[in-house]
Amino acid sequence: MKPGILLQLVSFFGLLSILSVGGSNSVVPEMSRKAVQTEHWLSADQFTDLFALSQAAPGPSNLIVALLGYQVAGFWGALAAQLAMIVPAAIVMVLVSKVWVSTAGSRWHLALEQGLTPIAIGLIIASGWTIAEGSGLDIPGYALVAACTVLFWKTRINPIPVLALAGVIGWLGLV
Amino acid sequence: MTLSLPTTEPAARPGLVELALVFNKMTLASFGGGLSAWAQRLIVEDKRWLSDEEFLSAYTLARVMPGANQINFAIYVGNRFQGVPGAVAAVLGLTGIPFCIIVALGYAYVHYHSTPALQDILRGIAAGAIGLTFSMGLKTGEKFFRQPVALVFAALAFAGSIMLRMPLLAVLAILIPPAFLVAWRRPSRG
């Protein structure tokens, strides 16, 4: 394996890490441009497959980076790309967290926290909506969404068996 | 019905191992999506490490800052209780096993193609995970059902994001200043 390609992965994803304001999905178009059009690491269809795979797999939303690194340079490519995607943004977040925690209890902190709360709730509902729009679900699928929403909202049921049951319902072709 | 107690301090201060284990549990539970909903369920409802308010503000902070939301949230929680080592422990717990899984999937992708049955199963799980996400918004939001001002801000955030397709930063830049001013003039806590 060539060290040059690892260096290229680290410098590209290290830069994207800092640019990924609003979440790592905001820089997916940039990844696609680099990986598919500029470097020809993989085809556009392959990129779409890897994106779907990374979304279905458990874990944070930026795991597509590991898949791209793997495609380019095997295991060490995956590790180098993933670390480069995590570390720069993580350093920024640690610094901001320290300021946020150390000002807890001050009036501006409380006002900001209270002001952010309803906005965050609106954005959470919006993110569920966005996933639903892109999921290709039909009417029975949305009925399952509605049933799960009410169940999880009104009870403290463990979600894992419910999600497993939803998987079986999908497997049976009911949604 | 879940009562949201205004707990400012958690029951017990989690150590490094517990931070890693809880974030590992969270990440493995989120197969098919809904990781943020799992975060609320585990950190606020089960562990009571954060109040609803602190969870939501930390969650928004994690979304605004560069980087994956869930990793930023793990950094916030880890740092809150154990400083930088806590942040590292939480991120390792969150990403360690998923990284191994995704590498295995990358290997499998090279050799096999995704089967229709797998896609059917994933679609069902996705429907459940979407429900989990909606329920998280409703659970943390139901105490605002009788507060018109809060409802307006929640509705505007939703509308900006979905109907107007505005970028997250634009939604926040427009809504945070008035929301901050309203809360500043009318302190309801403390």
Side-chain angles (χ1 to χ4, degrees), chain B residues 5-10 49-51 54 80 189:
Chain B
L5 300 170
T7 45
T8 48
E9 282 303 312
W49 288 347
L50 303 180
S51 65
E54 186 173 2
R80 165 91 153 74
R189 274 203 306 152

Side-chain angles (χ1 to χ4, degrees), chain B residues 69-131:
Chain B
N69 311 333
Q70 308 89 349
I71 292 179
N72 282 345
F73 180 71
I75 289 169
Y76 176 88
V77 175
N79 176 69
R80 165 91 153 74
F81 295 109
Q82 296 291 342
V84 171
V88 172
V91 171
L92 282 179
L94 184 76
T95 54
I97 292 178
F99 177 78
C100 298
I101 292 174
I102 204 80
V103 168
L105 285 174
Y107 174 84
Y109 175 79
V110 177
H111 295 274
Y112 312 97
H113 281 286
S114 53
T115 60
L118 186 63
Q119 286 169 1
D120 288 342
I121 293 171
L122 286 177
R123 196 170 54 248
I125 294 176
I130 295 164

Side-chain angles (χ1 to χ4, degrees), chain A residues 7-88:
Chain A
L7 210 61
Q8 202 185 352
L9 287 171
V10 168
S11 61
F12 176 64
F13 288 112
L15 182 64
L16 280 195
S17 175
I18 290 295
L19 293 179
S20 61
V21 174
S24 44
N25 279 353
S26 63
V27 291
V28 164
E30 184 62 22
M31 285 180 207
S32 162
R33 200 182 60 76
K34 168 93 170 174
V36 176
Q37 291 168 26
T38 312
E39 303 289 345
H40 303 288
W41 286 334
L42 67 178
S43 73
D45 282 351
Q46 284 174 319
F47 188 89
T48 305
D49 283 349
L50 293 187
F51 181 73
L53 210 54
S54 73
Q55 295 301 297
S61 56
N62 64 10
L63 285 172
I64 187 176
V65 170
L67 286 174
L68 292 173
Y70 184 86
Q71 187 88 9
V72 175
F75 175 80
W76 295 109
L79 189 63
Q82 190 68 52
L83 283 177
M85 191 70 193
I86 290 175
V87 172

Side-chain angles (χ1 to χ4, degrees), chain B:
Chain B
M1 166 167 176
T2 313
L3 289 171
S4 47
L5 300 170
T7 45
T8 48
E9 282 303 312
R13 194 182 179 83
L16 294 178
V17 174
E18 193 178 7
L19 281 168
L21 288 179
V22 165
F23 276 95
N24 181 55
K25 181 179 176 187
M26 184 187 303
T27 200
L28 294 184
S30 71
F31 203 97
L35 202 142
S36 301
W38 278 103
Q40 190 268 345
R41 165 80 64 147
L42 287 173
I43 304 285
V44 179
E45 287 187 38
D46 291 354
K47 293 290 179 185
R48 295 191 175 277
W49 288 347
L50 303 180
S51 65
D52 269 341
E53 285 78 13
E54 186 173 2
F55 171 80
L56 286 170
S57 65
Y59 174 84
T60 309
L61 201 63
R63 288 191 57 161
V64 178
M65 300 310 296
N69 311 333
Q70 308 89 349
I71 292 179
N72 282 345
F73 180 71
I75 289 169
Y76 176 88
V77 175
N79 176 69
R80 165 91 153 74
F81 295 109
Q82 296 291 342
V84 171
V88 172
V91 171
L92 282 179
L94 184 76
T95 54
I97 292 178
F99 177 78
C100 298
I101 292 174
I102 204 80
V103 168
L105 285 174
Y107 174 84
Y109 175 79
V110 177
H111 295 274
Y112 312 97
H113 281 286
S114 53
T115 60
L118 186 63
Q119 286 169 1
D120 288 342
I121 293 171
L122 286 177
R123 196 170 54 248
I125 294 176
I130 295 164
L132 190 60
T133 304
F134 282 140
S135 76
M136 170 195 171
L138 292 167
K139 254 185 187 172
T140 49
E142 61 190 344
K143 65 177 162 226
F144 294 116
F145 284 178
R146 291 170 185 278
Q147 296 183 30
V149 177
L151 279 185
V152 166
F153 278 114
L156 286 175
F158 178 86
S161 177
I162 296 298
M163 293 169 199
L164 304 178
R165 304 269 163 206
M166 285 161 65
L168 175 69
L169 278 184
V171 173
L172 294 175
I174 292 169
L175 290 183
I176 287 177
F180 175 79
L181 281 178
V182 168
W184 176 267
R185 291 165 54 95
R186 190 199 48 171
S188 60
R189 274 203 306 152

Side-chain angles (χ1 to χ4, degrees), chain A residues 150-167:
Chain A
V150 172
L151 189 64
F152 290 134
W153 176 24
K154 291 297 180 188
T155 72
R156 283 177 51 84
I157 191 171
N158 181 351
I160 294 179
V162 179
L163 293 179
L165 183 64

Side-chain angles (χ1 to χ4, degrees), chain A residues 96-105 109, chain B residues 54 61 76 79-80:
Chain A
V96 170
S97 297
K98 285 198 180 302
V99 173
W100 185 250
V101 171
S102 67
T103 58
H109 181 119
Chain B
E54 186 173 2
L61 201 63
Y76 176 88
N79 176 69
R80 165 91 153 74

